[in-house]
Amino acid sequence: MSSPDSVAKHDEKYLVRAIRADEWPAVKALRLEALQDPVAHLAFLETYADAAARPDSFWQDRAAGAAEGATEVRQFIAEGPDGQWVGTVTLLMEEAGTTDWAGFPIEQRQGHVVGVYVRPEHRGCGLTEVLFDEALRWAWETGAERVRLIVHEDNGRAQRFYRRVGFLPSGRTVPLASAPGADELEYVLARP
């Protein structure tokens, strides 16, 4: 059972909580589904083919490293009334004095939102906001000074959502190695 501080209710229809390490098959299934979304090429750096080829040990390690109680990464899921996972967001903690995946220096302790996905039939009801609320709550509790995310310049739907929940463009762009001439944009939210 999840601890009280890792559970949020949304209209009593969804349960939002951190994953558990033994739920790796569901982590894998939801990620593979997300990678088949029509905008997956804009939203994720990983392809379906690459993810599907990974061994179960990869998914077991991934779930264990982002499960309830983990301190560097936390994956949150939204569970429907039938127990089906219908959405997810993951938050990575980045430490000051290190560099990020793109080679940029990390200047302050911050969270980095990745892996945002909600099944199409559950979009538009406020569920993504609730997932973000839970991830941000955890970021602030663990001492993040800000939270950031990287979004493809052509992913207007995601950019509109991020602005709606308070994230603003920082002005930093990240060139996409896989698509020369394309950039991703950094959005940030300062600690309240």
Side-chain angles (χ1 to χ4, degrees), residues 114-179:
V114 298
V116 179
Y117 176 71
V118 172
R119 288 189 164 145
E121 65 273 20
H122 295 273
R123 294 176 187 163
C125 69
L127 183 56
T128 310
E129 287 90 337
V130 176
L131 282 162
F132 263 70
D133 287 348
E134 192 69 4
L136 291 171
R137 184 188 60 75
W138 182 70
W140 306 142
E141 284 179 0
T142 58
E145 296 176 45
R146 74 177 196 160
V147 173
R148 72 177 185 146
L149 52 87
I150 308 294
V151 59
H152 193 284
E153 63 187 354
D154 294 335
N155 195 344
R157 182 182 79 192
Q159 289 178 44
R160 286 187 298 278
F161 170 77
Y162 298 142
R163 283 180 185 270
R164 193 170 69 244
V165 295
F167 285 80
L168 297 173
S170 70
R172 176 178 280 175
T173 60
V174 181
L176 273 172
S178 62

Side-chain angles (χ1 to χ4, degrees), residues 67-135:
E68 184 177 64
T71 58
E72 295 177 25
V73 180
R74 187 78 56 95
Q75 181 176 358
F76 298 93
I77 56 95
E79 196 177 296
D82 59 358
Q84 182 182 40
W85 288 12
V86 298
T88 186
V89 64
T90 299
L91 191 95
L92 315 170
M93 293 307 297
E94 299 174 324
E95 297 300 329
T98 63
T99 56
D100 69 9
W101 60 272
F104 292 109
I106 305 297
E107 298 171 1
Q108 57 193 324
R109 181 171 169 78
Q110 63 189 17
H112 186 152
V113 173
V114 298
V116 179
Y117 176 71
V118 172
R119 288 189 164 145
E121 65 273 20
H122 295 273
R123 294 176 187 163
C125 69
L127 183 56
T128 310
E129 287 90 337
V130 176
L131 282 162
F132 263 70
D133 287 348
E134 192 69 4

